[in-house]
Amino acid sequence: MATDAPRARLADIAKQADVSEATVSRVLNDRPGVSADTRHAVLTALDVLGYERPERLRKRSAGLVGLVTPELENPIFPLFAQVIESALARHGYTPVLCTQTPGGVTEDEYIEMLLDRAVAGIIFVSGLHADTTADHDRYRKLIDRPLPIVMVTGLVPDLEAPCISCDDARASELAVDHLASLGHTRIGFISGPERFTPVQRKIAGYREAMARHGLPDNIELSLFGVEGGAAATGRLLDRGITGIVCGSDLMALGAIRAVRSRGLTVPGDVSVVGYDDSPLIAFTDPPLTTLRQPVLQMSNAAAQSLIDAINGQPSPHSEFLFAPELVVRNSTGIARR
């Protein structure tokens, strides 16, 4: 007759699974530090010997991983989701994609849903961790459970979890250097709200590069997206700006729209540099000069970091910075004298 698993004889289970009694205890108590293969062997031994699994182990599906992303209107986020999903699938994990939309399900509600499904870990892409004004205790509670988590884009310095980011400051520097090399001396910067870590870093890189070239700052912050980019660009054009560094490709498309609404041309009158190199950006009119995020490398690193943590081999609790690449196309040109 089956007995409750926690009262099972550890020695019998350890012998059947060919592991130590301490390892059996870790599995039964759902503790970290046990590989997926070893955990499977212990649970199989429980089944073979006729013991019932503890409730928390009956619920847990080791193959489920949460993937929380912002809205998918910006093409870079579906790209991150697709590549991360593929990387997880190669390792036998099934992602549960949770996409946030304005006024829809919140990140905290998604977290509760994922915990109910007993996911093995969660990857957050540009979530509330990237917002410096948000309460980050929600992530500390997950770590304390313990549940492996990985952040993509947006470092929380005192959070004991690995973070995967593109070097946003370097991206702005590359954009300014490119425009300055084309003879632009009135270079502006547009992006979303400054409370987000990536925006703060892009501003810092822009200011550093402008100071190095002996040029004055011209910063306009707005909402992310095409409309926000157009509004911010309009204010810069009023000051005679001829080169614009944008916080995203969508904002760059808004910048081009604003330039054309004034009867000006890109790049004849104003040069525009985007950020992300999201899908189809190479086919815009004109094809957009932009800073490419290494999405493939970043996504693979995020997936591998989470899988290692699930298997009891967590990555260092630090930020892994990936280098952006300047992709020069037709939206930038020599400054008109």
Side-chain angles (χ1 to χ4, degrees):
M1 183 175 65
T3 60
D4 190 17
R7 297 196 299 271
R9 292 182 58 189
L10 295 184
D12 291 344
I13 301 172
K15 181 178 179 181
Q16 178 70 28
D18 194 23
V19 298
S20 69
E21 293 183 27
T23 297
V24 173
S25 178
R26 276 198 201 93
V27 174
L28 296 183
N29 289 288
D30 202 18
R31 300 297 184 193
V34 182
S35 71
D37 290 342
T38 301
R39 186 180 297 274
H40 178 71
V42 171
L43 295 178
T44 300
L46 279 174
D47 298 338
V48 169
L49 294 173
Y51 296 124
E52 291 182 4
R53 299 186 182 189
E55 176 63 23
R56 58 181 170 272
L57 297 182
R58 289 201 299 271
K59 287 177 61 180
R60 179 174 294 278
S61 173
L64 290 180
V65 167
L67 176 57
V68 181
T69 71
E71 44 73 28
L72 301 181
E73 290 183 5
N74 186 337
I76 199 65
F77 295 133
L79 183 59
F80 267 113
Q82 177 184 345
V83 180
I84 291 174
E85 285 180 348
S86 297
L88 291 170
R90 287 197 301 271
H91 290 84
Y93 289 87
T94 302
V96 179
L97 180 60
C98 302
T99 302
Q100 301 176 73
T101 55
V105 179
T106 67
E107 184 171 306
D108 288 335
E109 290 170 335
Y110 273 133
I111 289 173
E112 288 302 316
M113 182 197 75
L114 293 171
L115 293 177
D116 287 342
R117 295 192 180 190
V119 294
I122 304 177
I123 297 176
F124 294 91
V125 180
S126 293
L128 289 173
H129 64 279
D131 187 340
T132 58
T133 65
D135 182 0
H136 296 143
D137 281 344
R138 55 176 53 85
Y139 305 115
R140 295 185 182 91
K141 291 176 182 177
L142 292 175
I143 294 169
D144 290 342
R145 288 183 70 92
L147 184 77
I149 64 173
V150 173
M151 309 300 187
V152 178
T153 307
L155 174 68
V156 180
D158 58 348
L159 197 66
E160 293 293 310
C163 179
I164 311 297
S165 299
C166 186
D167 192 341
D168 295 306
R170 180 59 182 153
S172 290
E173 292 177 19
L174 289 172
V176 171
D177 290 346
H178 172 62
L179 292 173
S181 72
L182 295 172
H184 293 273
T185 56
R186 289 172 291 173
I187 302 171
F189 174 86
I190 65 172
S191 189
E194 194 171 359
R195 69 178 186 271
F196 296 105
T197 301
V199 175
Q200 294 175 3
R201 291 179 169 183
K202 288 171 186 172
I203 290 174
Y206 165 80
R207 284 178 168 153
E208 193 282 331
M210 293 293 282
R212 179 160 34 85
H213 289 285
L215 302 175
D217 294 349
N218 278 285
I219 298 174
E220 283 293 338
L221 302 181
S222 183
L223 298 176
F224 285 115
V226 174
E227 293 76 13
T233 296
R235 296 191 291 270
L236 289 180
L237 293 177
D238 290 339
R239 301 178 209 153
I241 292 298
T242 66
I244 303 176
V245 177
C246 304
S248 73
D249 288 339
L250 289 185
M251 294 196 81
L253 296 182
I256 293 173
R257 175 191 293 179
V259 170
R260 287 175 171 166
S261 72
R262 301 277 183 108
L264 304 174
T265 64
V266 175
D269 298 297
V270 180
S271 289
V272 176
V273 181
Y275 179 88
D276 282 335
D277 197 31
S278 42
L280 303 181
I281 283 300
F283 305 100
T284 58
D285 178 26
L288 188 65
T289 294
T290 189
L291 276 302
R292 176 182 294 160
Q293 286 200 72
V295 174
L296 177 62
Q297 294 86 340
M298 292 173 65
S299 299
N300 286 334
Q304 190 61 57
S305 293
L306 188 72
I307 292 167
D308 288 345
I310 292 171
N311 292 332
Q313 300 171 325
S315 302
H317 298 145
S318 59
E319 183 176 31
F320 301 88
L321 277 180
F322 288 75
E325 177 188 355
L326 176 66
V327 182
V328 179
R329 299 192 180 104
N330 295 350
S331 67
T332 51
I334 296 174
R336 179 171 293 177
R337 298 296 180 184

